[in-house]
Amino acid sequence: KWQRMNGLVVLLPHGYEGQGPEHSSARMERFLQMCAKNNMQIVNATTPAQQFHAIRRQLKRDFRKPLICFTPKKLLRYPSCVSKLEDFTKGKFQEIIDDVKADAKKTTRIGFCSGKIYYDLIERREKEGVEDIAFVRLEQLYPFPQKQFDAILKKYPNAKDLMWIQEEPENVGPWRHVDHAVRSLNLKYIGRDEGASPATGFSKKHAEENEEIMRKIFSKVLVK
């Protein structure tokens, strides 16, 4: 209206850690519903360096758009969520992060995900000794990084099963936004069932739901 750029940065705690509905969801889906015509940026970074570069990019660009960052509390103290010093000094923000441990020739499944569930997935993969699945992190949800996404797909020519994995219920989180962006791929949804509440209030039920997600991914026959 006043021809002024808006560089607002918002950090919102978001992550399913078994602490109840009020601790779980920053309502990512509502922010994504407001996105159109590159009006804002939605980021769900999974490393300290990524968070640093997202904010640095915000300041270094010659334009300003609101930046909404979803920041899981668990990753503040998670042993695997670390970055080397050179990641800060030489790196840059990556809209998508490929799975560096996946063998492209052996990979028959790709699990796209966003946020802290990535760490649960790679730990479970190592425990199960599974080698046919790659986990790719979508760090920027909007604007959707289509070129980077397509480049990842080309790297895995043997991948036939494409999944979207999330810890949020089906009607919450980024699933419907991502599905709309890549509708032609017919991604399989792996996550919690639809729910009226953002999350369960019982830690035992939360653990059961997490285990069900892992079972669907790592069972010998992929549950459709």
Side-chain angles (χ1 to χ4, degrees):
K1 180 178 180 180
W2 295 287
Q3 300 299 312
R4 293 182 63 87
M5 294 186 291
N6 185 347
L8 174 71
V9 177
V10 180
L11 306 181
L12 298 173
H14 177 88
Y16 283 63
E17 302 169 11
Q19 299 298 313
E22 66 276 16
H23 285 265
S24 300
S25 180
R27 289 300 184 181
M28 186 185 299
E29 68 283 354
R30 294 183 182 177
F31 286 93
L32 290 170
Q33 285 174 350
M34 293 189 290
C35 292
K37 298 183 178 180
N38 298 325
N39 62 331
M40 67 177 78
Q41 306 159 94
I42 308 293
V43 169
N44 195 14
T46 55
T47 70
Q50 278 286 92
Q51 187 66 54
F52 168 78
H53 285 297
I55 296 175
R56 183 178 185 274
R57 182 182 71 171
Q58 182 77 350
L59 295 175
K60 294 291 289 184
R61 281 175 166 170
D62 58 2
F63 63 88
R64 294 284 185 271
K65 293 289 180 73
L67 172 63
I68 312 298
C69 301
F70 293 96
T71 54
K73 295 178 182 178
K74 181 178 180 179
L75 298 190
L76 291 172
R77 58 186 182 275
Y78 206 62
S80 301
C81 184
V82 295
S83 298
K84 298 178 181 179
L85 182 59
E86 63 186 28
D87 295 333
F88 293 89
T89 59
K90 297 181 181 179
K92 63 179 182 178
F93 181 75
Q94 302 175 71
E95 288 83 1
I96 289 183
I97 301 181
D98 193 11
D99 191 335
V100 296
K101 293 187 177 181
D103 186 331
K105 294 181 179 179
K106 294 181 180 179
T107 298
T108 60
R109 297 184 289 162
I110 302 176
F112 295 98
C113 62
S114 184
K116 75 175 186 64
I117 194 172
Y118 166 76
Y119 292 97
D120 297 329
L121 294 169
I122 59 173
E123 287 180 0
R124 186 60 171 261
R125 180 177 64 182
E126 183 176 354
K127 179 181 177 181
E128 300 286 343
V130 175
E131 298 182 345
D132 71 329
I133 183 170
F135 294 114
V136 178
R137 286 170 277 177
L138 188 60
E139 301 281 289
Q140 179 173 291
L141 293 160
Y142 190 86
F144 189 82
Q146 191 66 55
K147 290 182 179 179
Q148 297 91 323
F149 191 93
D150 293 341
I152 293 288
L153 288 177
K154 290 181 180 179
K155 181 185 172 182
Y156 298 99
N158 299 321
K160 305 302 180 184
D161 287 314
L162 305 178
M163 301 172 285
W164 175 260
I165 305 166
Q166 68 176 33
E167 56 189 2
E168 298 91 347
E170 187 173 358
N171 59 319
V172 181
W175 157 238
R176 290 177 177 171
H177 165 75
V178 173
D179 182 47
H180 177 76
V182 290
R183 183 69 54 82
S184 62
L185 295 180
N186 293 318
L187 293 177
K188 295 184 178 71
Y189 169 79
I190 306 291
R192 286 174 166 81
D193 294 334
E194 289 186 345
S197 173
T200 179
F202 300 95
S203 58
K204 183 177 179 180
K205 178 64 175 176
H206 168 83
E208 290 175 352
E209 292 173 348
N210 272 356
E211 182 59 29
E212 178 65 13
I213 293 173
M214 297 299 156
R215 187 190 68 81
K216 289 180 178 180
I217 298 166
F218 293 101
S219 59
K220 293 183 178 180
V221 179
L222 181 63
V223 178
K224 297 182 179 180

